[in-house]
Amino acid sequence: MSTAATETTPQDDVAVPDDVLVDVRGLKVHFPIKRGVFFDRTVGHVYAVDGMDMQIKRGETYGLVGESGCGKSTFGRALLRLEEPTEGTVLFDGVDVASLKGETLRRKRQDMQMVFQDPLSSLDPRQTVESLLLEGMQAHGLAKDGKAATARLRELLSAVGLPPAALRKYPHEFSGGQRQRIGIARALSVNPQLIVADEPVSALDVSVQAQVVNLLEELQEEFSLTYLVVAHDLAVVRHISDRVGVMYLGALVEEADADDLYAMPLHPYTRALMSAVPVPDPTTEDRRERIILAGDLPSPANPPTGCRFHTRCPWKQEERCDTERPQLRTIELEGVPGTHRVACHFAEQIQRGEIQPHEVDVSFVEQVDAQPDDATPVTVEPGAP
Amino acid sequence: MTATTTRTSRDARTSREPLLQVRDLSVTFRRSGEEPFHAVSGVSFDVQPGQTVGLVGESGCGKSVTSLAIMGLLPKRGNTVTGEAVFEGTDLLKLSPKQMRDRRGRDVAMIFQDPLSSLNPVVPIGRQVTEVMERHQGLSRKEAEPKARELLDKVGIPDPSRRLKEYPHQLSGGMRQRALIAMALACAPRLLIADEPTTALDVTIQAQILTLLKDLVQDSDTALIMITHDLGVVAGLCDEVNVLYGGRIVERADRHDLFARPRHPYTHGLLASIPRLDSARGERLNPVPGSVADNLPWDHACAFAPRCSNAVEACRTTQPELERIEGGVETPRLLRCHNPISEEA
């Protein structure tokens, strides 16, 4: 397996198969950090999304997981051009969304909708449910016929499991779960192909979470939707996704079919993440080997050199890890299918048990994190332990 | 820090004199022109030294109000607290505000969900930690400082000397929660109440904090009341679990019993509605239908009956009592249900 250190070169010559709805190549979203009272001096950048490649197939659910600050939400928003991409292409159904402008972009938005995390703050408190749902339909010329529009509204409400009486109510009159249903109905109202759901259930109580998860699954079947579900809850993501990507500091570190990923996580970060999720079973909890990561996520304004994870990685090696950024690659190991890709130089050796985990000094993690405003990469000596 | 830790089993729990005895605790909120709202009614439980007791439930079940009432942190007006919370022979609920202030932070301490809003933004971390020791142990700031450094080190904050001088906004979420735990531990309290201590944190940070809490309880024989909605957290941490619904305990059991054989339909429903990392994928979730109503009618009915798939006629006419049921070796099992899930299910 060659692991050429080419920094995110989009392979333009690769033909996109027909079943791919979204094709993202080398996407970067950088936010400038401004300083100064009179002059907007740019003193650095937050590398929120830094070289993402992703293909989402028609009709599938792609789950994107990662911790807060890893750039997963920014990526979801950039996909819909709610954030301006700094670099890279987003092909949606063959059209480059990143280059669209004005009216064409607005029209294209009909196909791509979003469901937000906090249903209350994403619904206008002064609009009734009816006008909330009609707004998008009118903007895309779907509500010209009054009678048909009313029928469509009822259809939408029954699809998301709300009574027709809900039309005349305001968002504050509903519970959290019902509000999220309204948010989903609004996304559905314009017949989109792709729905980006950003933490769709994390603000809800457990029993209500399950209701919304089930609803999302039913709607996908009924309207043949494609989902990108962005979430931090690994159990929820595993439950609804066909394929899962794990993100760390602006880029994917691992991608695989949901079952493969959870059966055999290959990247050290994925392993740590999964071992950290509490399981509602005391017997399992008592027996589990838990990988406790040292320290916090480094600042995305000053990402570590080489592998972004090397500062916290218990399997970090003296060579390559801190100098060479690993690319997503397939690995040749028994039981690992070609769809399972991982961005780690030593994935094979770790999996075979040839490299043992070691202690990570917390102060080492802190040291890298200490100067977040410094735009130049900090050079650190290889870990002492 | 990056040790691969294995949980040791903690079955050998000797029953001693309880550290805290909560008896028949009820909290009613009154607003003029509105029906009184019974946030908590008739909640009783014991906490032994070195034991971790979980209060679990969804938002609005009264779990946080219970802890605030024990700590005497509810507003003085607009509510009625009845019952007892006997801590080492003293009923905390009968103490004057001054007497309670002397105990809070010394004997009983609390950790909150959102560390940023429970820290003073304009006071350095070190000062906030030493403050507790100055107040309760009569130490001077000079004497307290090395202790504060020790505490920060103990809770896993790297470079404590530097961190002591920093302000809350300069710390990450996990670090803030550690600082808050350091403050809570400053006077070595015998009872620690943690109200959703990891809900605002990422899973990897959550694992760090939970390991820290677990070690503290084991090493210092501190009693811990863990308030959470996350059944996964409960499964790994709590010895005894109380499930609350509508301000009442509906089921109590040892964690092993509770997760292996939930008897109350609500507990059963909660467990069935969470997707799990260790189960087969693609199984449909079985959520509890509906959502928590605002003022749940426990009079002449079971408040859970409208959402319950097991409900029988009695559930709509008589209030179920919290009764002792079969099973449970160390922790007696309690259940409030007319028609529980059968033991085999």
Side-chain angles (χ1 to χ4, degrees):
Chain A
M1 238 24 257
S2 78
T3 45
T6 41
E7 280 271 316
T8 59
T9 342
Q11 293 150 303
D12 293 316
D13 47 342
V14 176
V16 182
D18 273 351
D19 62 341
V20 171
L21 180 67
V22 183
D23 185 27
V24 182
R25 297 288 168 95
L27 187 71
K28 292 186 183 183
V29 183
H30 298 170
F31 299 109
I33 304 168
K34 305 270 191 184
R35 280 283 160 80
V37 183
F38 298 109
F39 306 102
D40 270 352
R41 218 156 37 91
T42 303
V43 292
H45 285 92
V46 173
Y47 301 93
V49 178
D50 203 23
M52 281 282 280
D53 298 301
M54 184 191 283
Q55 296 193 331
I56 306 174
K57 296 189 193 114
R58 274 174 219 280
E60 81 168 344
T61 302
Y62 191 104
L64 188 60
V65 286
E67 295 180 280
S68 44
C70 74
K72 57 188 192 300
S73 290
T74 308
F75 174 78
R77 295 172 63 86
L79 218 61
L80 307 187
R81 266 291 285 282
L82 296 172
E83 296 301 347
E84 264 333 289
T86 312
E87 220 183 288
T89 57
V90 179
L91 288 183
F92 181 88
D93 218 358
V95 182
D96 186 6
V97 180
S99 66
L100 289 181
K101 282 195 191 78
E103 183 64 11
T104 35
L105 174 64
R106 194 187 73 78
R107 288 236 183 96
K108 198 74 199 157
R109 289 231 159 96
Q110 186 185 342
D111 295 331
M112 330 177 275
Q113 286 292 310
M114 185 140 184
V115 173
F116 298 91
Q117 172 175 3
D118 181 2
L120 190 57
S121 66
S122 57
L123 297 172
D124 183 347
R126 294 175 179 229
Q127 274 185 292
T128 59
V129 171
E130 181 170 9
S131 88
L132 278 167
L133 295 180
L134 272 175
E135 196 172 21
M137 288 161 67
Q138 280 161 349
H140 292 289
L142 299 171
K144 283 178 187 137
D145 179 359
K147 255 193 195 143
T150 317
R152 170 85 181 133
L153 286 180
R154 284 174 190 280
E155 199 182 299
L156 280 171
L157 284 181
S158 84
V160 297
L162 288 173
L167 281 180
R168 285 181 303 279
K169 290 190 183 170
Y170 291 87
H172 75 265
E173 297 176 79
F174 296 92
S175 68
Q178 287 173 322
R179 279 179 208 140
Q180 196 56 292
R181 284 169 195 270
I182 298 169
I184 294 170
R186 180 176 61 181
L188 282 177
S189 66
V190 293
N191 296 319
Q193 294 187 57
L194 173 76
I195 289 185
V196 175
D198 188 0
E199 301 274 9
V201 297
S202 54
L204 308 174
D205 268 325
V206 246
S207 64
V208 182
Q209 265 189 12
Q211 296 170 8
V212 174
V213 165
N214 282 346
L215 174 68
L216 285 171
E217 287 179 335
E218 284 160 22
L219 293 174
Q220 179 166 42
E221 206 147 292
E222 197 177 337
F223 300 102
S224 38
L225 296 164
T226 307
Y227 288 141
L228 173 70
V229 177
V230 177
H232 71 279
D233 188 329
L234 282 100
V236 167
V237 166
R238 171 179 186 239
H239 183 85
I240 62 175
S241 308
D242 301 306
R243 285 197 302 145
V244 176
V246 182
M247 214 172 155
Y248 187 80
L249 275 187
L252 285 179
V253 294
E254 189 163 1
E255 183 188 71
D257 288 345
D259 288 327
D260 297 334
L261 184 79
Y262 286 78
M264 198 195 278
L266 295 172
H267 197 281
Y269 178 63
T270 320
R271 286 163 185 256
L273 202 59
M274 286 202 193
S275 81
V277 178
V279 171
D281 181 350
T283 328
T284 321
E285 278 289 303
D286 287 353
R287 276 201 225 116
R288 285 175 97 188
E289 291 264 317
R290 193 154 268 169
I291 306 164
I292 305 284
L293 287 182
D296 298 302
L297 196 76
S299 163
N302 180 29
T305 55
C307 174
R308 298 276 146 103
F309 187 58
H310 84 262
T311 51
R312 299 168 78 197
C313 182
W315 283 274
K316 176 189 173 289
Q317 295 301 299
E318 301 272 325
E319 287 161 21
R320 290 181 80 189
C321 288
D322 55 350
T323 52
E324 193 182 313
R325 191 169 172 192
Q327 300 297 305
L328 272 185
R329 63 192 178 95
T330 54
I331 65 170
E332 276 160 25
L333 263 185
E334 208 178 314
V336 179
T339 48
H340 197 151
R341 300 191 298 156
V342 57
C344 174
H345 295 306
F346 299 99
E348 292 95 339
Q349 287 93 320
I350 294 171
Q351 185 59 31
R352 285 198 294 258
E354 289 162 17
I355 301 178
Q356 291 304 316
H358 50 72
E359 290 273 325
V360 175
D361 190 1
V362 189
S363 54
F364 177 65
V365 182
E366 287 290 300
Q367 198 186 335
V368 183
D369 200 23
Q371 306 107 340
D373 291 334
D374 194 341
T376 54
V378 183
T379 42
V380 278
E381 307 120 45
Chain B
M1 269 307 293
T2 320
T4 324
T5 52
T6 323
R7 292 272 342 258
T8 49
S9 75
R10 292 184 285 149
D11 328 286
R13 185 70 53 204
T14 47
S15 56
R16 284 176 277 178
E17 191 62 13
L19 185 70
L20 175 77
Q21 282 178 294
V22 178
R23 287 288 168 271
D24 215 16
L25 180 74
S26 298
V27 182
T28 307
F29 292 108
R30 293 175 202 287
R31 299 275 177 280
S32 58
E34 274 178 47
E35 286 279 298
F37 174 61
H38 304 284
V40 176
S41 24
V43 166
S44 306
F45 61 91
D46 287 355
V47 188
Q48 317 279 349
Q51 191 190 24
T52 302
V53 172
L55 300 180
V56 195
E58 295 180 282
S59 41
C61 73
K63 52 190 193 298
S64 291
V65 175
T66 304
S67 64
L68 291 175
I70 295 170
M71 290 293 282
L73 290 174
L74 285 171
K76 289 284 159 266
R77 299 175 66 180
N79 67 66
T80 326
V81 182
T82 57
E84 288 180 349
V86 180
F87 179 82
E88 296 188 315
T90 321
D91 185 357
L92 295 180
L93 302 184
K94 294 209 168 53
L95 293 180
S96 71
K98 161 101 183 43
Q99 287 168 317
M100 193 62 214
R101 276 203 300 276
D102 287 340
R103 295 201 158 245
R104 215 184 287 131
R106 192 186 70 193
D107 299 332
V108 192
M110 192 156 174
I111 307 164
F112 296 90
Q113 172 175 353
D114 180 6
L116 192 56
S117 63
S118 13
L119 290 168
N120 188 336
V122 293
V123 176
I125 295 293
R127 184 85 194 81
Q128 299 192 49
V129 180
T130 53
E131 200 175 21
V132 197
M133 292 184 273
E134 287 166 41
R135 167 75 172 76
H136 290 299
Q137 299 177 333
L139 298 179
S140 72
R141 201 186 293 188
K142 251 198 184 136
E143 290 166 327
E145 224 178 79
K147 290 199 167 186
R149 203 171 303 134
E150 245 169 67
L151 278 164
L152 291 193
D153 194 44
K154 187 176 166 192
V155 297
I157 295 183
D159 199 358
S161 308
R162 176 164 66 94
R163 292 297 186 189
L164 279 176
K165 296 186 202 82
E166 291 192 339
Y167 291 88
H169 75 269
Q170 290 169 292
L171 270 63
S172 67
M175 286 299 152
R176 279 180 210 139
Q177 196 58 282
R178 282 169 197 271
L180 208 61
I181 294 175
M183 282 167 64
L185 295 177
C187 296
R190 270 153 298 162
L191 175 67
L192 193 61
I193 302 180
D195 188 354
E196 305 265 11
T198 57
T199 307
L201 307 173
D202 279 317
V203 275
T204 56
I205 310 296
Q206 165 170 290
Q208 294 172 2
I209 300 289
L210 290 180
T211 310
L212 174 66
L213 285 175
K214 227 178 277 178
D215 292 346
L216 286 173
V217 171
Q218 255 160 11
D219 298 346
S220 61
D221 223 22
T222 309
L224 175 67
I225 299 181
M226 183 77 186
I227 295 165
T228 180
H229 70 280
D230 190 332
L231 290 161
V233 169
V234 173
L237 191 68
C238 300
D239 301 306
E240 177 190 308
V241 187
N242 294 288
V243 182
L244 276 84
Y245 189 80
R248 283 171 198 250
I249 294 176
V250 294
E251 185 164 12
R252 170 187 305 163
D254 171 84
R255 64 185 170 124
H256 290 281
D257 295 334
L258 188 84
F259 286 89
R261 288 172 300 279
R263 299 296 306 280
H264 198 282
Y266 178 61
T267 319
H268 190 264
L270 277 184
L271 285 169
S273 58
I274 34 177
R276 293 167 52 153
L277 274 189
D278 59 341
S279 64
R281 205 176 71 86
E283 277 172 32
R284 218 183 126 79
L285 301 176
N286 291 307
V288 186
S291 56
V292 186
D294 255 355
N295 208 353
L296 290 160
W298 275 108
D299 303 330
H300 311 298
C302 168
F304 185 61
R307 301 175 71 191
C308 183
S309 53
N310 256 28
V312 291
E313 194 47 44
C315 304
R316 294 180 195 93
T317 53
T318 22
Q319 190 194 126
E321 296 297 324
L322 192 61
E323 283 159 353
R324 175 88 199 259
I325 57 161
E326 291 289 305
V329 188
E330 281 167 53
T331 312
R333 289 201 75 160
L334 297 180
L335 182 68
R336 186 193 292 278
C337 185
H338 288 307
N339 187 22
I341 307 274
S342 72
E343 198 133 10
E344 286 74 42

